[in-house]
Amino acid sequence: MMTGIVSVSSLYLIYRILTLVFLHLFGVYDFRHHLIKNTALVFLSLWCLFGILLKLILGIAPSLPLLIFTACLGGSVGFFLLLIIAVATNGGIGGGDIKLVTVLGLYYGVFGLFQILILSGTAAIFAALPLRLQYKRKTTAIPFAPFLFLGCLFYEILSLF
């Protein structure tokens, strides 16, 4: 049995696992209610901002200005990308999903967010195709937060290798 101070990598790993737990809860709630609550998004925003500071404190990121730039760029790109998709699809993406992706962009940055969106979108397509074929031409709404959770989970797993 080991005792002592938790290492930097294990502390950050715990943070990442807890982030996935929170995202799983978002996915479950969105799946059941087709809704993402703003109060939960505020909590997640604070959690992700804490993660940004944790990266700086643990020495994972090189500098505070770079962290702030990466976070702002990731959040902005996530927001505007999903907003454009929502407008182009006439509301195919909900406002809660846009805000959730914005918060994820704050934490993961642009490149991480792009990878997460590709993984999430691919999973959503594979889930929506059978529904689309089953109901022929009827459009069926599927919640996107569960797929964002899966995208983040796959991203975290792939980042371990």
Side-chain angles (χ1 to χ4, degrees):
M1 180 175 185
M2 295 181 65
T3 60
I5 298 174
V6 178
S7 71
V8 169
S9 60
S10 62
L11 183 62
Y12 190 63
L13 180 64
I14 291 168
Y15 173 84
R16 290 166 59 182
I17 290 170
L18 285 174
T19 303
L20 287 174
V21 169
F22 295 142
L23 290 173
H24 180 262
L25 295 174
F26 271 88
V28 168
Y29 192 85
D30 191 31
F31 182 77
R32 290 183 181 162
H33 303 285
H34 287 255
L35 180 69
I36 298 175
K37 293 202 171 241
N38 287 335
T39 52
L41 283 167
V42 168
F43 172 75
L44 185 64
S45 299
L46 294 173
W47 178 256
C48 287
L49 290 174
F50 171 71
I52 293 169
L53 289 175
L54 188 63
K55 287 179 186 178
L56 184 66
I57 292 168
L58 296 177
I60 296 171
S63 69
L64 182 61
L66 182 62
L67 271 174
I68 292 172
F69 176 74
T70 304
C72 290
L73 188 62
S76 299
V77 167
F79 174 78
F80 286 112
L81 181 65
L82 260 68
L83 183 64
I84 290 168
I85 292 170
V87 170
T89 60
N90 198 19
I93 300 283
D97 296 322
I98 295 170
K99 291 180 267 188
L100 180 58
V101 168
T102 301
V103 173
L104 292 176
L106 289 173
Y107 177 70
Y108 287 107
V110 175
F111 298 112
L113 184 64
F114 279 151
Q115 292 174 10
I116 289 167
L117 288 175
I118 289 169
L119 292 166
S120 301
T122 304
I125 288 169
F126 280 116
L129 276 178
L131 291 173
R132 183 78 169 187
L133 293 174
Q134 179 182 2
Y135 296 112
K136 303 291 180 201
R137 293 186 180 248
K138 293 182 184 175
T139 58
T140 54
I142 60 169
F144 194 52
F147 299 105
L148 285 171
F149 162 71
L150 288 175
C152 290
L153 178 65
F154 294 149
Y155 175 79
E156 292 291 350
I157 290 171
L158 292 173
S159 71
L160 294 175
F161 298 108

